[in-house]
Amino acid sequence: MAHYVTGPAIKALRERKGLTQKQLAEQILVSDKAVSKWETGKGLPDLSLLEPLAKALGVSVAELLSGEYRTNANRAGNLLRSQWYVCPVCGNVVYALGQGSFHCCGVALPPAEAEEAEREHAITVEQVEDDYYVTLDHPMSKGHFLSFVAYLTTDRVLLQKTYPEQAAAVRFPRLGPGQILAYCNRHGLFRKKVS
């Protein structure tokens, strides 16, 4: 793990939950002095306490370890506001309807921020019959390639995995206005609006 739970994180989460040190201690069956030691950096909770501590604080173990509390403010369900997380080690893709705390291969994954597709990452979209034919003039070598191309509308996500040494082209059924996203393993996420 890249992180271990810190005193300031425990204190902030406890206060956000509206608990005293004693109330938290009672919930996880430790003394309030133990909680005080954790919060002041004079000790750390035992590994066996991480799950009950996270539960008492109302967060996941991953959030507790990262020290970041994530809320899903995207309750409207508009998929165009969703988040993408990509593992730099194995290329695993996590798609979430809002922000989250995700780890893969021992790495905390930051959300990928999409940039407008320009120059070497320009996305070309042609309408062919009832489909979008998406192409990019992008290298597809083993060291520099597109990992995936996705088509998002307000209520659907279509994802096409792409591989090195294959064409940087995919075809999606046309479902209406949305975005085409392409993920370059070196430069990140790029987007283009479609109507």
Side-chain angles (χ1 to χ4, degrees):
M1 271 294 161
H3 297 89
Y4 193 74
V5 65
T6 63
I10 294 171
K11 183 177 181 179
L13 291 169
R14 176 183 59 77
E15 288 175 347
R16 183 185 58 80
K17 193 78 171 165
L19 297 172
T20 65
Q21 288 181 346
K22 184 172 181 153
Q23 290 169 326
L24 177 60
E26 288 171 354
Q27 287 188 31
I28 59 174
L29 306 174
V30 298
S31 71
D32 56 339
K33 289 181 182 180
V35 173
S36 176
K37 284 183 179 181
W38 302 339
E39 290 184 0
T40 58
K42 295 178 183 170
L44 294 171
D46 185 75
L47 189 60
S48 65
L49 292 172
L50 290 183
E51 193 170 333
L53 180 59
K55 185 176 179 182
L57 294 172
V59 297
S60 69
V61 173
E63 289 169 316
L64 181 62
L65 291 172
S66 71
E68 295 179 19
Y69 174 66
R70 305 283 183 144
T71 58
N72 185 356
N74 186 19
R75 303 233 183 255
N78 184 340
L79 298 182
L80 295 174
R81 293 187 215 131
S82 55
Q83 298 286 320
W84 295 87
Y85 300 82
V86 182
C87 179
V89 178
C90 70
N92 189 19
V93 178
V94 177
Y95 173 76
L97 294 178
Q99 286 190 337
S101 182
F102 300 100
H103 289 73
C104 187
C105 298
V107 177
L109 304 179
E113 296 198 23
E115 298 177 27
E116 291 300 321
E118 300 178 328
R119 295 183 296 258
E120 67 269 11
H121 293 99
I123 299 172
T124 303
V125 181
E126 298 175 61
Q127 188 172 343
V128 178
E129 298 172 357
D130 291 332
D131 292 346
Y132 283 133
Y133 183 63
V134 180
T135 58
L136 288 95
D137 184 20
H138 191 280
M140 291 298 283
S141 65
K142 289 185 179 180
H144 188 195
F145 59 91
L146 295 175
S147 178
F148 67 87
V149 179
Y151 172 31
L152 277 76
T153 68
T154 57
D155 63 350
R156 296 193 188 169
V157 177
L158 301 175
L159 177 88
Q160 178 79 38
K161 180 78 174 118
T162 52
Y163 297 95
E165 301 179 358
Q166 291 183 350
V170 298
R171 195 168 174 155
F172 294 114
R174 189 168 174 260
L175 303 172
Q179 295 179 359
I180 300 291
L181 298 169
Y183 186 84
C184 169
N185 73 319
R186 286 191 182 174
H187 302 104
L189 194 60
F190 295 89
R191 72 172 174 254
K192 178 175 183 163
K193 290 184 180 179
V194 292
S195 54

